[in-house]
Amino acid sequence: AQSVTQPDIHITVSEGASLELRCNYSYGATPYLFWYVQSPGQGLQLLLKYFSGDTLVQGIKGFEAEFKRSQSSFNLRKPSVHWSDAAEYFCAVVSSYNTDKLIFGTGTRLQVFP
Amino acid sequence: DVKVTQSSRYLVKRTGEKVFLECVQDMDHENMFWYRQDPGLGLRLIYFSYDVKMKEKGDIPEGYSVSREKKERFSLILESASTNQTSMYLCASSPRRGWTEAFFGQGTRLTVV
């Protein structure tokens, strides 16, 4: 079955440090991939998406992600984290069986220390 | 900007009550979704709709039903609330069939006592 794995449940970084959040997917064809962020008490906001083309995708708030087909990965990166980046991050892939559906990972909670 | 509005941020209901969670979007989107979010489980799809009066089951439809009488409004119904339905519920919409970006509401935190 299709799935999205976010192996890190909780990550803590210092403000100004670089960040990489991992995402692996299982999918037969070229996937449509997304990263969403959820600030405390809020809904989800789209950070970036990959449909095709350039495998390095730029998003909002200084985030980027790289699609690596050989590793079935779509890791999210930011060169310098700000305290306001503390949130929960979700990776998602469009279902190959029903293109109206998103399959989400279990999320990674990011904590930022000053 | 697309706006997806959920009628309540917090709800407390008693076991056995019938509960309605309302969601409205203002961008004429075709697709609407209800997700449930629980710690360690991520978001799980309950139901979705791609047209008025159309609905499809998601991954965890048991104990829930939905209604879409107008394009902009999608309601989630708990026929008889139970404590294991205590959760965060998120509504989302997307413009059309076939995948495009989804826009989410702020969520309703439901507690069933």
Side-chain angles (χ1 to χ4, degrees):
Chain A
Q2 279 185 286
S3 65
V4 176
T5 302
Q6 294 180 247
D8 303 306
I9 296 172
H10 188 200
I11 284 183
T12 302
V13 299
S14 298
E15 192 169 17
S18 63
L19 172 70
E20 183 169 27
L21 302 183
R22 295 184 290 165
C23 173
N24 294 97
Y25 63 89
S26 67
Y27 196 93
T30 301
Y32 291 173
L33 293 157
F34 302 80
W35 274 100
Y36 282 86
V37 61
Q38 185 181 34
S39 298
Q42 302 296 314
L44 274 67
Q45 181 184 19
L46 181 70
L47 282 176
L48 47 78
K49 59 190 176 188
Y50 172 78
F51 284 1
S52 65
D54 192 344
T55 56
L56 185 62
V57 180
Q58 301 298 320
I60 62 170
K61 305 187 180 190
F63 285 92
E64 66 177 25
E66 187 170 13
F67 170 61
K68 292 186 177 180
R69 184 189 302 277
S70 61
Q71 298 177 21
S72 296
S73 70
F74 188 56
N75 294 349
L76 182 71
R77 301 194 295 244
K78 188 169 184 178
S80 178
V81 171
H82 188 263
W83 64 267
S84 60
D85 294 323
E88 190 150 22
Y89 292 80
F90 292 94
C91 181
V93 64
V94 173
S95 168
S96 61
Y97 304 108
N98 185 328
T99 56
D100 293 310
K101 290 177 61 174
L102 271 180
I103 298 169
F104 283 87
T106 52
T108 297
R109 182 164 297 279
L110 174 66
Q111 196 168 7
V112 180
F113 281 113
Chain B
D1 278 354
V2 174
K3 195 157 187 182
V4 179
T5 303
Q6 295 183 229
S7 55
S8 303
R9 292 293 303 273
Y10 300 93
L11 276 178
V12 181
K13 297 291 182 180
R14 294 192 182 279
T15 301
E17 276 193 76
K18 190 169 186 176
V19 181
F20 292 85
L21 303 184
E22 307 287 345
C23 176
V24 176
Q25 50 94 2
D26 65 358
M27 284 300 289
D28 201 35
H29 283 179
E30 292 184 8
N31 296 346
M32 296 189 75
F33 307 83
W34 276 106
Y35 288 89
R36 172 176 171 160
Q37 182 181 9
D38 298 289
L41 298 177
L43 278 73
R44 294 178 291 167
L45 183 64
I46 305 172
Y47 268 97
F48 67 102
S49 166
Y50 52 84
D51 201 353
V52 174
K53 298 193 185 294
M54 303 296 288
K55 61 184 180 183
E56 286 200 24
K57 293 180 180 179
D59 301 315
I60 53 163
E62 297 78 19
Y64 304 95
S65 62
V66 290
S67 172
R68 194 170 182 195
E69 297 294 322
K70 294 185 177 181
K71 191 173 185 179
E72 68 271 17
R73 186 179 297 269
F74 192 36
S75 302
L76 179 70
I77 303 158
L78 287 66
E79 296 289 343
S80 177
S82 64
T83 54
N84 63 14
Q85 293 178 309
T86 291
S87 186
M88 170 72 92
Y89 291 88
L90 291 165
C91 176
S93 71
S94 67
R96 57 190 174 273
R97 301 298 303 275
W99 196 259
T100 54
E101 173 182 344
F103 298 84
F104 282 81
Q106 290 194 300
T108 297
R109 184 163 295 282
L110 172 67
T111 302
V112 182
V113 298

